[in-house]
Amino acid sequence: MLNNQGRPTTPAAANESAPRPHKTFTGNRGLQQEEALLFETGRPDVSGVDIDEPQPFISRLGALERATPLDLPGFSEPEAVRHYVRLSQKNYSIDAGLYPLGSCTMKHNPRLNEKTARLPGFADIHPLQPQSTIQGALELIGELERWLIELTGMHSVAMSPKAGAHGEACGMMAIKAAIEARGEGKTRNVVIVPDSAHGTNPATAALIGYSVRAVPAREDGTVSAQAVRAALGPDVAAIMLTNPNTCGLFEKEIVEIAKAVHDAGGYFYCDGANFNAIMGKVRPGDLGIDAMHINLHKTFSTPHGGGGPGAGPVVMSRALSPFVPLPVFSTSASSSAIIENAVELAGSAQHPFGRMTAFHGQMGMYVRALTYMLSHGADGLKQAAEDAVLNANYVRACLADVMSLPFGNRPCMHEALFDDKWLKDTGVTTLDFAKAMIDEGYHPMTMYFPLVVHGAMLIEPTESESLASLDLFIMTLRDLAFSAKRGETERFTQAPQLAPRQRLDETLAARKPVLRWTKPEAISEAAE
Amino acid sequence: MRYLPITPDDRTLMLARIGVAGIDALFADVPGDKLMHGLPQLPLRKSELEVERLLSRMAAKNMPASSVPFFVGAGAYKHHVPASVDHLIQRSEFLTSYTPYQPEITQGTLQMLFEFQTQVANLTGMEVANASMYDGSTGCAEAVLMSHRLTKRKKAVLSGGLHPHYAEVVRTISHMASDEVSTLPPDVQASEDLLAQIDETISCVVVQSPDVFGNLRDLKPIADKCHAHGALLIAVFTEAVALGIVESPGAMGADIVVGEGQSIGNPLTFGGPYVGLFATRQKYVRQMPGRLAGQTRDAQGKRGFVLTLSTREQHIRREKATSNICTNSGLCALAFSIHMTLLGENGLRKLALVNHANAVMLADMLAASGIEVLNKTFFNEFTIRVKGEAAAVVEKLAGEGLLAGVPVSRLLPGAGCDDLLIVANTEVNTDEDRAALVAALKGAK
Amino acid sequence: MPSSYYTKDHEYIRVEGDTGIVGISDYAQEQLGDVVFVELPAKGAKIGKGEQAAVVESVKAASEVYAPVTGEVLDINGALEGEPGKVNQEPAGDGWFFKLKITDSRQLEGLMDENAYAAYLKTLG
């Protein structure tokens, strides 16, 4: 029998003059719970895994048995689960809300992808099992290669790179190998990179021993063929260009640029970070591109996981195809194989330049990406690209009257770039505006990138947002914009107020780096 | 399409609001003949049921490790992962969050990374660790580049016990960067003379322990000689569990420690995604590649965490960055960290002990049946000599439902090691598994 | 004769006899924001005019500091290691980077004096 006498079932009317929530004893605020570091609460003798000591035996460790303590805290399973659940509650995620980080393509991550990646036939196979026992894995890789090649119109694909920057390195190494094979390794040592490029591009070029020659972007945010021609010469190995570019625009002279680069004896590397805008609409192979990485964790929705893992297969033109790294997959209907060693390719047209990583690459990501592709199909992928572009343009069109567009109110691709001109004299910066979005329940857009635009705000809504979701987002940004222009500066400069933490002191973190937990007594000893 | 919330009516309305007649007007910058009007030559959309059926059929053509007696290692290891690990990493807030660029709303990821860095530093016996690399092999190459920057020399020496794939990744990047690499011949019984290689011209020596053949290596004398000549010792491991009972590379004097973290918390998944562990001395931190989480305070004075020392990284330094790495292995690092948290000091020590005990038992059984075990020391993996070609033996036994190990010839073709087999034995192997392997190898011709 | 000179990269050199004290200008420290780390040259190092001599890092930026003139490093400001914030507080005072023994004082003639530098800053907007 219910005994709920005296239990009120409606809350008392809120008292408008009541003070804001009081300071709590625990420091928690309802569902938002503070959580200590593992090292402050764990106990070395507790374990969440039951393992029996083995029977006594004669060790074969030689004289190398561990003498120094591990200093690792232990937890029972319920304690460990609670720790990580509480930590998770301090994170924003695409599952919880719109995540408009430009150039990051934070789209929905279908859970079917997670389910298929966990099939024992994929998750529980070893990279060095006999090839006869992993024919299904090779079939899957072959199928993914087919989709990537068809969608990009390229000739082959190097599967093993583990992320976008790793793919860039792979593509640029293939270019370097091709140039060395031509006997021009000593003379071609410059790579052309536009100012607007992502930082990984110049870093990659430098990593493999090239010097960087910058070309500026035009007033309209794109690179002109004329500027590229002026930078070309017999010392140029390649150009690295992002298309659609980091300003969210399609490089309209890209075909001319490709031709100019090829005429000068160079190769064309395309950063494929923004492929989501054009999949099923434009094939990079038709534009004259020689190599392009594809971020499976962006375009093909393998989850970002708080910063990885990703996967960055590189599609290659016919000219570069002989120079892919090991391993090479050979797949056919009857039998498939992995070629892991250069000796197996002796006498063939293939001249692998080496190896990007141990084993074969990011199988777990391949399964997820192919699952995503099969679910969408040719029609769904094309529709996804169109919706991504449509959504970005809708955001642009609905904000163009209150925020400023550096390149005018003209169509963009899958992301809309604003600058901070409209914030002039408000006392509010791009950073402040972004932090105020946090209080409204949104993850901020990409800020201060690309560098060529002052106070850049790069908004990529992706195809995963409904019209209702976009409308609420737009209304929120409009409300914030009007508020900034009205001079309600505190709403911005003091933001965020409602997140698990207020603004963090990055200067302190960098001046006195604390990169690990240390026993408190050790700190006081060190201070003495 | 179940993943696309925009309806045909929405599209009409939105195009009108944007002020264009059709979707292709938004693609007006694409050179005229390059815009495709049809569909790619690929199948059309499929239901969940259809996709799952297709992938399950492919998966069924593979032989999962847990379905057979399984002794395959050489850089990736089959261990039991507690169920809570996979459950926790699939929480939306971890799985579908980006790199923590906005620290106010990503304290979960940042605190986890700070804890991960501490666990890795403690495990390796080093002072600081980064927030992960792609895997052990790419971490190894990054360590070599870091040693070049620190010593201002350009020549690396690789031990013949280093995993051949790792050595090849190092050689590839070194060739591209015009750095020098000297690789010692395959060293099955840890008998190479590394000390003779160390002089004033080299930036680093790269030594793996347990090495690819399973031997443990005493790093102390190598570290001492490196330091006397201004070079660095890079210690590599591919089996992180070993560090539960084997002395840490840091305690033996290593300057940079890199390793594969897969065997704690992460499934085999055919070679990736894995997680590279990277640790070094505090004084070298500004030359370390990769992201770093650091402790600080917020505007109210509360402890919090941020990505820090990012001036080392590509988005600020561009062509002068320490590395081009951007995305790393965040979620695999989380799985590693959760598994470590569940194990704790005591659990990890016992797990390592059980691995070693099982391997000792198997080595003794094999020796007793006349099969030569080449190792004097090992942790959970060792090298044996079989009759005939190891690759053929493995292929034959696979047909009989047993995965016996990795033939050395698969990693080192033409090195004269065709009759050698690397056999790993972890806590998942039972007495029945071991008996089956011994019987099969005795019978194999 | 003025005692302080500036480069277009915003280094200053304050001349005292044949010694030059090098640092970054007030404008440069303001552009960088909170300085968190300074990497200084080795004492005794010989550095040519325009060659990289030091690195200064803020949270969001890193930039090289070049030698305004050729010289030998006589002394470095070790205090910046523990307190890089001095570069922000007193760029021309306690926030100096290193002292150079000037090889050829004629190289100073190619640099800007206070007035020329102030005019130069105005052109940067």
Side-chain angles (χ1 to χ4, degrees):
Chain A
M1 191 184 99
L2 277 174
N3 183 356
N4 60 359
Q5 280 181 345
R7 183 169 72 83
T9 54
T10 46
N15 181 352
E16 286 292 329
S17 62
R20 285 169 59 89
H22 61 90
K23 207 173 162 172
T24 57
F25 173 71
T26 53
N28 299 336
R29 295 176 81 78
L31 282 178
Q32 194 56 250
Q33 288 153 323
E34 292 297 315
E35 182 63 8
L37 287 165
L38 287 174
F39 307 90
E40 293 163 337
T41 51
R43 295 151 290 166
D45 49 331
V46 175
S47 184
V49 184
D50 292 324
I51 305 169
D52 291 330
E53 290 267 356
Q55 296 296 319
F57 67 101
I58 298 165
S59 157
R60 301 286 287 273
L61 299 177
L64 297 172
E65 216 148 313
R66 183 178 266 275
T68 47
L70 280 157
D71 276 337
L72 293 170
F75 294 82
S76 65
E77 182 173 305
E79 294 171 296
V81 167
R82 191 166 291 167
H83 177 74
Y84 288 102
V85 168
R86 285 183 171 203
L87 286 191
S88 76
Q89 288 174 334
K90 301 176 197 307
N91 269 6
Y92 195 88
S93 64
I94 179 67
D95 281 353
L98 195 155
Y99 214 128
L101 264 183
S103 99
C104 301
T105 312
M106 291 297 283
K107 60 169 72 176
H108 173 63
N109 302 130
R111 286 315 191 274
L112 177 63
N113 305 1
E114 296 304 309
K115 188 177 182 187
T116 53
R118 285 168 173 78
L119 290 168
F122 298 131
D124 196 27
I125 53 173
H126 191 287
L128 299 176
Q129 280 179 219
Q131 299 199 15
S132 57
T133 65
I134 42 94
Q135 288 293 305
L138 298 185
E139 184 183 335
L140 181 136
I141 292 171
E143 187 67 2
L144 180 59
E145 287 185 340
R146 182 168 82 92
W147 279 74
L148 291 172
I149 288 169
E150 177 59 33
L151 286 171
T152 58
M154 301 289 275
H155 189 257
S156 66
V157 54
M159 290 302 295
S160 63
K162 297 206 155 223
H166 205 220
E168 279 176 40
C170 174
M172 292 304 292
M173 287 181 188
I175 287 171
K176 191 162 185 171
I179 284 174
E180 282 175 358
R182 282 182 357 208
E184 294 184 293
K186 292 269 183 292
T187 50
R188 291 193 182 264
N189 42 34
V190 171
V191 171
I192 298 173
V193 183
D195 287 342
S196 56
H198 192 258
T200 53
N201 295 171
T204 299
L207 177 74
I208 65 169
Y210 284 130
S211 57
V212 172
R213 184 174 296 157
V215 289
R218 279 191 295 206
E219 292 277 291
D220 71 355
T222 62
V223 175
S224 80
Q226 201 186 348
V228 171
R229 267 189 225 108
L232 282 167
D235 58 345
V236 171
I239 186 170
M240 296 181 85
L241 199 65
T242 307
N243 187 51
N245 70 21
T246 58
C247 300
L249 304 171
F250 194 93
E251 289 287 353
K252 49 192 176 186
E253 292 182 18
I254 191 164
V255 176
E256 264 182 277
I257 291 171
K259 185 166 183 313
V261 171
H262 289 154
D263 287 349
Y267 292 95
F268 188 163
Y269 187 85
C270 181
D271 183 325
N274 295 334
F275 188 57
N276 201 48
I278 57 169
M279 62 177 171
K281 298 288 290 183
V282 182
R283 305 198 312 168
D286 296 340
L287 304 174
I289 286 158
D290 290 297
M292 181 180 96
H293 73 263
I294 296 172
N295 303 77
L296 296 186
H297 50 293
K298 293 180 180 176
T299 311
F300 298 107
S301 89
T302 75
H304 282 78
V314 184
V315 286
M316 306 267 192
S317 64
R318 186 177 292 275
L320 284 185
S321 291
F323 303 99
V324 295
L326 294 165
V328 174
F329 297 95
S330 113
T331 49
S332 71
S334 54
S335 164
S336 306
I338 325 167
I339 296 156
E340 296 169 295
N341 295 294
V343 290
E344 298 166 61
L345 291 167
S348 79
Q350 294 278 68
H351 308 285
F353 65 75
R355 187 175 258 287
M356 297 301 298
T357 176
F359 310 126
H360 325 306
Q362 306 286 69
M363 183 67 179
M365 304 294 117
Y366 304 160
V367 182
R368 290 173 175 89
L370 185 66
T371 302
Y372 176 90
M373 289 172 175
L374 291 170
S375 293
H376 279 76
D379 48 340
L381 291 178
K382 183 179 181 183
Q383 187 68 62
E386 290 183 354
D387 284 358
V389 171
L390 181 70
N391 281 0
N393 277 285
Y394 185 71
V395 168
R396 171 185 59 78
C398 294
L399 292 174
D401 60 329
V402 289
M403 291 164 65
S404 47
L405 291 152
F407 307 118
N409 193 13
R410 55 190 288 266
C412 58
M413 297 306 287
H414 65 310
E415 51 195 359
L417 176 63
F418 297 89
D419 63 17
D420 64 357
K421 265 196 209 89
W422 64 281
L423 283 172
K424 198 168 185 293
D425 303 325
T426 59
V428 175
T429 64
T430 291
L431 180 75
D432 297 330
F433 188 75
K435 297 301 183 190
M437 286 170 69
I438 293 176
D439 279 338
E440 298 293 337
Y442 285 107
H443 194 284
M445 66 289 269
T446 291
M447 305 177 289
Y448 300 105
F449 178 83
L451 307 174
V452 291
V453 167
H454 200 271
M457 304 178 205
L458 188 60
I459 300 179
E460 180 180 5
T462 83
E463 71 276 16
S464 302
E465 297 306 321
S466 69
L467 180 54
S469 165
L470 292 175
D471 281 336
L472 183 58
F473 177 68
I474 289 161
M475 284 189 281
T476 307
L477 290 203
R478 291 183 72 86
D479 183 69
L480 284 170
F482 290 131
S483 175
K485 289 176 183 181
R486 277 197 305 270
E488 292 163 12
T489 322
E490 275 202 2
R491 181 174 173 190
F492 300 88
T493 56
Q494 299 303 307
Q497 290 286 319
L498 306 174
R501 283 292 178 273
Q502 295 192 8
R503 283 194 212 188
L504 290 131
D505 187 343
E506 294 183 65
T507 303
L508 173 70
R511 276 189 183 160
K512 305 226 180 304
V514 178
L515 306 174
R516 57 168 292 171
W517 183 81
T518 319
K519 277 181 195 158
E521 59 269 28
I523 292 172
S524 60
E525 275 165 27
E528 277 161 19
Chain B
M1 195 325 80
R2 61 186 176 276
Y3 301 134
L4 300 176
I6 302 286
T7 65
D9 285 350
D10 292 340
R11 288 181 192 119
T12 309
L13 191 152
M14 292 164 77
L15 287 169
R17 176 71 185 79
I18 295 165
V20 292
I23 187 74
D24 282 352
L26 299 175
F27 289 84
D29 284 343
V30 178
D33 58 332
K34 304 302 179 193
L35 193 65
M36 296 198 305
H37 295 288
L39 287 177
Q41 296 299 305
L42 292 162
L44 300 182
R45 72 184 68 168
K46 288 186 170 56
S47 69
E48 265 212 19
L49 175 64
E50 289 171 297
V51 175
E52 199 175 334
R53 191 179 285 148
L54 263 173
L55 283 154
S56 298
R57 277 188 197 145
M58 285 187 209
K61 293 177 190 169
N62 301 325
M63 187 185 284
S66 47
S67 66
V68 290
F70 183 85
F71 300 91
V72 189
Y77 300 89
K78 168 77 183 163
H79 288 287
H80 173 74
V81 179
S84 54
V85 173
D86 195 42
H87 172 81
L88 288 166
I89 68 166
Q90 286 198 74
R91 282 191 63 90
S92 293
E93 302 89 335
F94 287 132
L95 186 75
T96 76
S97 187
Y98 200 73
T99 301
Y101 289 139
Q102 299 289 339
E104 299 88 348
I105 46 172
T106 45
Q107 283 297 303
T109 295
L110 286 160
Q111 180 170 336
M112 176 283 285
L113 291 175
F114 185 81
E115 293 172 345
F116 168 82
Q117 288 170 191
T118 309
Q119 287 170 326
V120 173
N122 288 0
L123 185 69
T124 55
M126 301 300 282
E127 288 157 4
V128 288
N130 74 12
S132 80
M133 308 301 286
Y134 305 131
D135 68 0
S137 67
T138 60
C140 182
E142 292 272 12
V144 168
L145 295 176
M146 176 173 158
S147 77
H148 294 338
R149 291 193 296 272
L150 284 167
T151 61
K152 308 218 159 51
R153 301 175 190 169
K154 300 185 82 176
K155 181 181 171 188
V157 173
L158 311 184
S159 155
L162 179 63
H163 194 292
H165 285 182
Y166 286 45
E168 196 163 349
V169 174
V170 172
R171 282 195 299 268
T172 301
I173 182 69
S174 300
H175 168 75
M176 292 292 168
S178 305
D179 299 331
E180 210 181 322
V181 182
S182 160
T183 312
L184 272 62
D187 185 31
V188 182
Q189 291 183 292
S191 53
E192 66 192 358
D193 185 4
L194 272 171
L195 296 182
Q197 304 291 320
I198 301 168
D199 61 28
E200 262 75 26
T201 68
I202 67 163
S203 52
C204 64
V205 176
V206 184
V207 190
Q208 181 179 329
S209 180
D211 68 20
V212 69
F213 305 103
N215 308 292
L216 297 175
R217 305 264 183 150
D218 185 359
L219 304 176
K220 186 80 174 51
I222 307 167
D224 289 345
K225 186 153 186 203
C226 278
H227 298 157
H229 291 81
L232 303 181
L233 172 62
I234 298 174
V236 178
F237 58 89
T238 60
E239 172 48 297
V241 174
L243 294 176
I245 53 170
V246 174
E247 187 54 287
S248 73
M252 291 191 273
D255 299 287
I256 306 172
V257 181
V258 288
E260 177 52 66
Q262 171 271 330
S263 71
I264 297 182
N266 287 280
L268 289 167
T269 320
F270 201 49
Y274 288 174
V275 51
L277 311 181
F278 196 114
T280 188
R281 306 279 171 203
Q282 178 75 39
K283 63 182 171 184
Y284 299 143
V285 72
R286 285 181 184 274
Q287 288 300 334
M288 179 157 61
R291 297 196 194 283
L292 281 167
Q295 183 178 309
T296 188
R297 291 190 301 260
D298 80 349
Q300 288 183 307
K302 286 187 190 167
R303 177 170 70 186
F305 303 89
V306 291
L307 291 178
T308 191
L309 301 188
S310 48
T311 43
R312 300 164 300 116
E313 294 184 64
Q314 44 75 25
H315 61 278
I316 292 178
R317 270 282 165 85
R318 298 174 80 85
E319 68 264 34
K320 288 182 178 151
T322 53
S323 163
N324 74 342
I325 192 167
C326 183
T327 291
N328 53 26
S329 282
L331 203 68
C332 302
L334 175 64
F336 175 95
S337 191
I338 297 171
H339 195 181
M340 286 282 277
T341 298
L342 285 162
L343 285 165
E345 172 134 14
N346 202 12
L348 180 63
R349 194 188 59 80
K350 281 200 282 189
L351 175 64
L353 212 50
V354 169
N355 271 257
H356 187 43
N358 282 358
V360 168
M361 206 184 312
L362 178 64
D364 290 347
M365 286 164 70
L366 287 164
S369 29
I371 294 165
E372 184 189 355
V373 177
L374 280 76
N375 301 55
K376 289 195 225 22
T377 61
F378 58 84
F379 168 62
N380 68 355
E381 184 170 37
F382 48 80
T383 303
I384 61 174
R385 196 182 303 280
V386 298
K387 281 178 240 154
E389 291 197 355
V393 171
V394 167
E395 195 65 53
K396 175 175 173 288
L397 296 185
E400 296 166 13
L402 187 151
L403 292 171
V406 178
V408 173
S409 62
R410 180 149 180 192
L411 298 170
L412 292 162
C417 301
D418 292 0
D419 59 349
L420 300 185
L421 181 67
I422 303 169
V423 178
N425 191 325
T426 74
E427 78 283 0
V428 304
N429 295 101
T430 62
D431 288 341
E432 291 76 27
D433 291 348
R434 281 182 284 276
L437 179 68
V438 174
L441 287 175
K442 253 173 103 173
K445 286 188 185 155
Chain C
M1 186 179 162
S3 68
S4 284
Y5 300 85
Y6 296 85
T7 69
K8 285 196 168 172
D9 296 317
H10 309 287
E11 292 97 4
Y12 69 77
I13 178 164
R14 193 166 68 245
V15 181
E16 294 175 359
D18 61 354
T19 301
I21 300 166
V22 180
I24 63 169
S25 72
D26 190 52
Y27 173 85
Q29 69 79 18
E30 201 172 316
Q31 289 293 307
L32 276 168
D34 289 342
V35 171
V36 299
F37 178 69
V38 178
E39 189 184 311
L40 296 168
K43 250 191 239 183
K46 292 191 173 64
I47 304 174
K49 175 182 163 77
E51 286 177 10
Q52 184 185 320
V55 179
V56 56
E57 293 184 4
S58 65
V59 174
K60 298 287 179 199
S63 80
E64 282 77 33
V65 175
Y66 303 100
V69 296
T70 301
E72 180 185 339
V73 178
L74 293 174
D75 197 9
I76 54 172
N77 186 2
L80 295 184
E81 196 177 315
E83 289 180 81
K86 285 183 179 212
V87 177
N88 296 114
Q89 292 144 18
E90 294 181 77
D94 281 353
W96 62 278
F97 281 38
F98 54 91
K99 290 183 185 169
L100 272 183
K101 185 172 165 61
I102 301 172
T103 308
D104 178 3
S105 60
R106 280 172 303 181
Q107 285 182 342
L108 294 167
E109 288 162 21
L111 304 175
M112 292 176 275
D113 63 15
E114 293 276 3
N115 291 336
Y117 183 64
Y120 170 64
L121 289 184
K122 278 193 186 129
T123 68
L124 301 178

